[in-house]
Amino acid sequence: MLYSNVWSADQGIDLFGRGAELVRASYEAGDYTAFVGLENSYPGFGRAVGGEAHHGDPDIESFMTALEPENDSQAPGTSFAHISAYESTETTLAATVCNYYLFPQNGTNISLNPLNMAFRVELERTADDPGQPGVPDTDPAQQDPRAHRVPTWNVFEGWKITKLHYLRRLNGDVIPQGCTDWWQQQFPAFAPNASGNLVPPAGFEPPTMPVAVQYPEWIGPANSE
């Protein structure tokens, strides 16, 4: 895995609940697919997302479902991801995932200029049983001996992904305020430009950091351990 994923969520969202787990898995698996190809991504992802999407699909990004890797760059780093605009019913889930990356070494970091990387994720239930979430990861600073870097079970069991869409303001997509608020908390010196994107001040140097411990880690449901 190229990136360590560190997650947070808007107030009131259970980061360890089944819904948030499915949102996390959908985004992570799509991100991973861009580097390893669909057949090598998270177990069950290919079926859940309906296979490889065609270029221009308005709902599913082709670069997140490609059979062949679309990116051969393998720089390690930490992906900071945040769940916002979460909605759920008994049979549907929807949320926006906003994120940015930090790397161990100095260099250009396009995820910070501007801060506008956000994805809409939606799922529909396909089975009566919604599935059980994995065991909560209670310590963000330590690696759990039961954990897996990539899940070894089908996190998507009983669900299909109906939207995995990169939000593009230039195309009229709306990024929720929860994302902007989170970005602003992380980078208080950034200010909105004419397009509404947060941009760094003059002379800004992207921060660096060692690759973080993944949080939450993937710890299988109790009945699969």
Side-chain angles (χ1 to χ4, degrees), residues 73-169:
S73 174
Q74 298 196 16
T78 304
S79 168
F80 290 89
H82 184 81
I83 300 174
S84 187
Y86 178 83
E87 305 169 82
S88 67
T89 69
E90 288 188 358
T91 58
T92 64
L93 292 169
T96 297
V97 172
C98 27
N99 80 317
Y100 64 90
Y101 299 95
L102 293 182
F103 302 99
Q105 298 169 350
N106 291 317
T108 302
N109 187 340
I110 61 173
S111 77
L112 299 182
N113 190 11
L115 284 166
N116 67 352
M117 292 182 65
F119 295 79
R120 189 63 178 170
V121 179
E122 298 180 8
L123 301 100
E124 291 181 2
R125 224 165 96 180
T126 59
D128 292 336
D129 183 358
Q132 296 298 314
V135 174
D137 177 4
T138 58
D139 190 345
Q142 298 293 327
Q143 292 182 321
D144 191 300
R146 300 169 296 171
H148 305 277
R149 186 63 187 78
V150 170
T152 56
W153 67 99
N154 182 4
V155 179
F156 306 98
E157 190 68 45
W159 293 83
K160 67 177 180 179
I161 300 166
T162 57
K163 185 168 293 232
L164 193 55
H165 173 66
Y166 178 47
L167 297 177
R168 301 168 174 88
R169 279 195 168 116

Side-chain angles (χ1 to χ4, degrees), residues 1-212:
M1 188 81 175
L2 302 174
Y3 302 120
S4 174
N5 298 284
V6 176
W7 286 85
S8 59
D10 282 356
Q11 187 173 7
I13 297 174
D14 179 8
L15 193 58
F16 301 107
R18 178 65 171 147
E21 178 181 78
L22 286 162
V23 170
R24 285 170 29 224
S26 299
Y27 171 75
E28 285 189 16
D31 191 40
Y32 193 37
T33 295
F35 295 94
V36 301
L38 189 62
E39 298 304 318
N40 296 313
S41 190
Y42 286 19
F45 176 66
R47 180 175 181 182
V49 81
E52 185 176 33
H54 62 79
H55 287 277
D57 189 308
D59 294 319
I60 306 293
E61 298 292 343
S62 59
F63 71 89
M64 301 181 89
T65 59
L67 292 176
E68 296 296 328
E70 298 224 341
N71 193 335
D72 58 5
S73 174
Q74 298 196 16
T78 304
S79 168
F80 290 89
H82 184 81
I83 300 174
S84 187
Y86 178 83
E87 305 169 82
S88 67
T89 69
E90 288 188 358
T91 58
T92 64
L93 292 169
T96 297
V97 172
C98 27
N99 80 317
Y100 64 90
Y101 299 95
L102 293 182
F103 302 99
Q105 298 169 350
N106 291 317
T108 302
N109 187 340
I110 61 173
S111 77
L112 299 182
N113 190 11
L115 284 166
N116 67 352
M117 292 182 65
F119 295 79
R120 189 63 178 170
V121 179
E122 298 180 8
L123 301 100
E124 291 181 2
R125 224 165 96 180
T126 59
D128 292 336
D129 183 358
Q132 296 298 314
V135 174
D137 177 4
T138 58
D139 190 345
Q142 298 293 327
Q143 292 182 321
D144 191 300
R146 300 169 296 171
H148 305 277
R149 186 63 187 78
V150 170
T152 56
W153 67 99
N154 182 4
V155 179
F156 306 98
E157 190 68 45
W159 293 83
K160 67 177 180 179
I161 300 166
T162 57
K163 185 168 293 232
L164 193 55
H165 173 66
Y166 178 47
L167 297 177
R168 301 168 174 88
R169 279 195 168 116
L170 290 177
N171 292 349
D173 292 332
V174 176
I175 295 176
Q177 185 64 38
C179 286
T180 301
D181 291 345
W182 175 68
W183 284 321
Q184 191 79 76
Q185 289 171 1
Q186 312 308 307
F187 299 94
F190 281 41
N193 62 11
S195 300
N197 294 320
L198 290 173
V199 295
F204 173 78
E205 292 290 338
T208 61
M209 63 170 284
V211 176

